[in-house]
Amino acid sequence: VNLRAVLMSSPSTIKPTMSLTRETNPLAEYGRQEVIVEGEKILAPLLDRRTLPSGSEIVGPAIITEMDSTTLVLPGSQANVDDYGNILITLIED
């Protein structure tokens, strides 16, 4: 059985909102948590997702928390917050 739906509409008028800037909401660490990565204990800063302005660069290890999820930035990785508040995680090249 196949079921297919097609929606036809005019282009959306909703525009994504821009994230906070560093000037309006400075990055805030609210604690530290011990994590174990590859058998090694490391202290990672705890960051509230709501406090991450656009342009933030977080070098791992770090733990980014929010109401419904937690993001772990591993050592050797970097998280960047884009203009729309997305967290982009990339490996740092040696």
Side-chain angles (χ1 to χ4, degrees), residues 10-59:
S10 59
S12 176
T13 57
I14 299 172
K15 297 192 188 284
T17 59
M18 301 296 269
S19 179
L20 299 169
T21 65
R22 282 183 224 245
E23 293 76 32
T24 60
N25 199 14
L27 184 64
E29 177 183 322
Y30 69 89
R32 291 193 167 261
Q33 175 66 47
E34 187 176 87
V35 294
I36 299 174
V37 178
E38 296 182 4
E40 182 181 345
K41 291 181 181 180
I42 302 171
L43 273 180
L46 293 168
L47 304 170
D48 186 335
R49 176 74 176 83
R50 295 171 298 169
T51 68
L52 300 178
S54 65
S56 294
E57 295 179 353
I58 301 106
V59 177

Side-chain angles (χ1 to χ4, degrees), residues 19-20 25-28 30 46-54 56 58 63-71 79-88:
S19 179
L20 299 169
N25 199 14
L27 184 64
Y30 69 89
L46 293 168
L47 304 170
D48 186 335
R49 176 74 176 83
R50 295 171 298 169
T51 68
L52 300 178
S54 65
S56 294
I58 301 106
I63 301 170
I64 303 169
T65 62
E66 56 187 311
M67 180 189 69
D68 58 354
S69 67
T70 302
T71 303
N80 295 297
V81 180
D82 70 8
D83 289 342
Y84 298 100
N86 299 307
I87 301 174
L88 309 172

